């Protein structure tokens, strides 16, 4: 019950956020998330084939200096509730107001928009936290000529592998341009979708065991929660395949042919993920049918036992009813051994019916 109350509060907050946005002009920067007490922090990872350096700028000018830097820069901005700061960053980097609106709109579905000077993408970063709960975070990435801007709500993310490759010069990332960095970040998000699939698959296997071994109302609630979770994950992941296809077919000069080859591999992963999600969706829906069927079978077993018991006692009750009548002139009523004879007949009937039901496999 506590989880449902928490979910209701979250829904109410979302509704309140949407109401705050009603009536405002398109392009108005309105933060739609719920992490409102976090100040925006910036970390810049600058690198080329020879070196890499990580530093935190002290002002907006130091951030904007990387727009025209000869090296590749990964500008990571954590915290989206500071609308004025986001607006300043967007202004200095020449981002459209509609792009800035989508950056702070944490309820925005995945999308890709191409502009003359940059490519903008919104994705859902999914991971399983230490409490074994599925977390979905809003991530916005902007690919510029020699810079990648990334906006996220909280510091926790799935990009440690990318940072490690840049810092320790693993693979080809240091020798490639910002378009490959853009791909690497997107690829890290997609790779973590496989972890989410394993998480969902594990939950499905546990629920299948519970449905067969111990179907109860709590299991039904868990199945319903699983269905909602699968549908939510599918809504976040399903569009990514099409978005990557648009990048592959794009003629934008910001994406090289070499990077498009890697994007095709990411698209293949998305196809595999979407197929698995479709299977999980069907399984989650069939789990409820299995639960109802098992509950019905369980009830039928109970009814069968009760019916057999009633069938055994019906003839015994009939005999007891006859000899319980108060007529004076009843045969065997005053017989010396009548009581024991009635008991004997009833016991023989009881045992005989048990043997009959057993042979019929009704017991």
């Amino acid at each position: 019950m506590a989880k449902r109350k928490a979910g209701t509060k979250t829904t109410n907050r979302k509704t309140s956020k949407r109401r705050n946005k009603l009536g405002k002009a398109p392009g108005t920067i309105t933060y739609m998330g719920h992490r409102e007490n976090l100040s925006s922090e910036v970390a810049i990872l600058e690198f080329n084939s020879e070196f890499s350096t990580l530093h935190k700028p002290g002002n907006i000018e130091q951030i904007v200096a990387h727009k025209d830097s000869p090296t590749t820069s990964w500008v990571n901005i954590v915290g989206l509730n500071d609308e004025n700061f986001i607006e300043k960053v967007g202004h200095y980097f020449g981002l459209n107001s509609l792009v800035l609106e989508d950056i702070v709109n944490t309820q925005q579905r995945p999308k890709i928009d191409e502009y003359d000077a940059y490519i903008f993408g919104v994705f859902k970063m999914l991971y399983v936290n230490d409490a074994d709960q599925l977390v979905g975070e809003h991530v916005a990435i902007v690919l510029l000529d020699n810079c990648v801007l990334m906006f996220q709500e909280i510091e926790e993310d799935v990009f440690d592998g990318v940072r490690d490759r840049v810092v320790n010069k693993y693979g080809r990332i240091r020798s490639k341009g910002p378009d490959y960095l853009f791909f690497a970040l997107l690829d890290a998000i997609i790779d973590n979708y496989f972890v989410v699939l394993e998480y969902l698959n594990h939950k499905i296997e546990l629920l299948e065991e519970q449905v067969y071994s111990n179907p109860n109302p709590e299991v039904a609630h868990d199945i319903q929660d699983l269905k909602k979770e699968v549908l939510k994950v599918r809504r976040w992941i399903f569009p990514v395949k099409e978005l990557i296809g648009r990048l592959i077919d794009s003629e934008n000069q910001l994406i090289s042919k070499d990077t498009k080859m890697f994007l095709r591999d990411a698209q293949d992963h998305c196809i595999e993920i979407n197929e698995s999600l479709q299977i999980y969706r069907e399984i989650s829906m069939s789990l409820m049918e299995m639960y109802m069927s098992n509950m019905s079978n369980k009830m039928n077993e109970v009814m069968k036992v009760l019916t057999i018991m009633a069938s055994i006692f019906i003839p015994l009750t009939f005999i007891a009813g006859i000899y319980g009548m108060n007529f004076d002139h009843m045969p065997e009523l005053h017989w010396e051994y009548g009581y024991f004879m009635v008991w004997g007949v009833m016991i023989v009937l009881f045992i005989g019916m048990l043997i009959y039901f057993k042979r019929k496999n009704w017991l």
Side-chain angles (χ1 to χ4, degrees), residues 295-312:
M295 287 295 291
S296 178
N297 291 337
K298 191 175 180 180
M299 182 62 68
N300 288 340
E301 288 293 325
V302 174
M303 293 302 297
K304 184 175 75 172
V305 173
L306 295 177
T307 302
I308 290 174
M309 292 177 62
S311 300
I312 290 174

Side-chain angles (χ1 to χ4, degrees), residues 316 319 337-350:
L316 306 184
I319 294 173
Y337 301 104
Y339 172 76
F340 300 103
M341 181 59 70
V342 169
W343 264 110
V345 171
M346 294 173 72
I347 290 173
V348 169
L349 274 173
F350 177 78

Side-chain angles (χ1 to χ4, degrees), residues 46-84:
E46 185 179 2
F47 62 92
N48 58 21
S49 59
E50 302 298 329
F51 79 97
S52 68
T53 178
L54 176 65
H55 57 93
K56 295 186 177 182
N59 52 56
I60 191 71
E61 287 76 15
Q62 293 177 354
I63 300 173
V64 179
H66 291 271
K67 180 181 178 181
D68 300 319
S69 173
T71 58
T72 299
S73 298
W74 173 10
V75 181
N76 189 13
I77 299 174
V78 178
L80 304 180
N81 65 298
D82 191 344
E83 298 168 356
N84 292 330

Side-chain angles (χ1 to χ4, degrees), residues 346-361:
M346 294 173 72
I347 290 173
V348 169
L349 274 173
F350 177 78
I351 296 174
M353 295 185 74
L354 284 178
I355 294 173
Y356 177 78
F357 291 148
K358 188 69 175 177
R359 287 182 176 178
K360 289 286 189 179
N361 293 324

Side-chain angles (χ1 to χ4, degrees), residues 112 114 119 143-144 178-180 182-183 243-244 246-261 263:
I112 288 283
E114 294 187 46
I119 296 176
L143 169 62
L144 294 107
D179 60 331
Y180 188 85
F182 181 90
F183 154 75
L243 299 179
I244 294 177
R246 287 176 53 188
L247 290 176
I248 294 172
D249 297 334
S250 172
E251 297 181 357
N252 198 305
Q253 298 300 315
L254 291 173
I255 302 180
S256 65
K257 291 183 179 180
D258 290 340
T259 301
K260 289 182 179 181
M261 179 181 65
L263 285 171

Side-chain angles (χ1 to χ4, degrees), residues 16 74 133 164 179 190 193 202 211 230 250 276 286 318 354:
S16 176
W74 173 10
Q133 296 175 332
D164 189 49
D179 60 331
I190 294 172
Y193 290 161
H202 180 64
V211 165
V230 171
S250 172
S276 298
S286 65
F318 176 73
L354 284 178

Side-chain angles (χ1 to χ4, degrees), residues 105-151:
N105 181 9
T106 59
Q107 300 172 32
Q108 174 64 47
R109 70 187 299 273
K111 63 181 294 187
I112 288 283
D113 287 334
E114 294 187 46
Y115 296 85
D116 293 337
Y118 57 90
I119 296 176
F120 169 68
V122 173
F123 307 96
K124 283 294 181 181
M125 177 177 64
L126 306 181
Y127 60 90
V128 181
N129 62 13
D130 295 336
D132 199 33
Q133 296 175 332
L134 182 62
V135 179
E137 292 291 345
H138 173 82
V139 176
I141 307 176
V142 182
L143 169 62
L144 294 107
D145 188 47
N146 60 348
C147 176
V148 173
L149 298 176
M150 188 173 74
F151 301 83

Side-chain angles (χ1 to χ4, degrees), residues 165-234:
R165 286 155 58 191
V166 171
V167 173
N168 296 304
K169 201 176 181 180
Y170 294 146
R172 60 180 63 84
I173 193 167
R174 286 263 291 270
S175 61
K176 297 289 185 178
D179 60 331
Y180 188 85
L181 174 61
F182 181 90
F183 154 75
L185 296 173
L186 179 56
D187 188 57
I189 294 174
I190 294 172
D191 284 346
N192 220 63
Y193 290 161
F194 286 102
V195 178
V196 174
L197 291 182
E198 293 177 2
Y199 166 81
L200 293 175
N201 184 57
H202 180 64
K203 291 188 70 173
I204 289 173
E205 290 177 350
L206 290 178
L207 283 174
E208 282 180 338
E209 294 178 2
Q210 293 176 0
V211 165
Y212 281 113
S213 61
N214 185 30
N216 56 63
E218 189 63 31
V219 174
H221 291 310
D222 291 340
I223 293 173
Q224 194 65 25
D225 291 340
L226 174 66
K227 287 172 60 179
K228 293 179 181 178
E229 201 164 41
V230 171
L231 290 174
K232 179 171 64 175
V233 170
R234 187 172 182 270

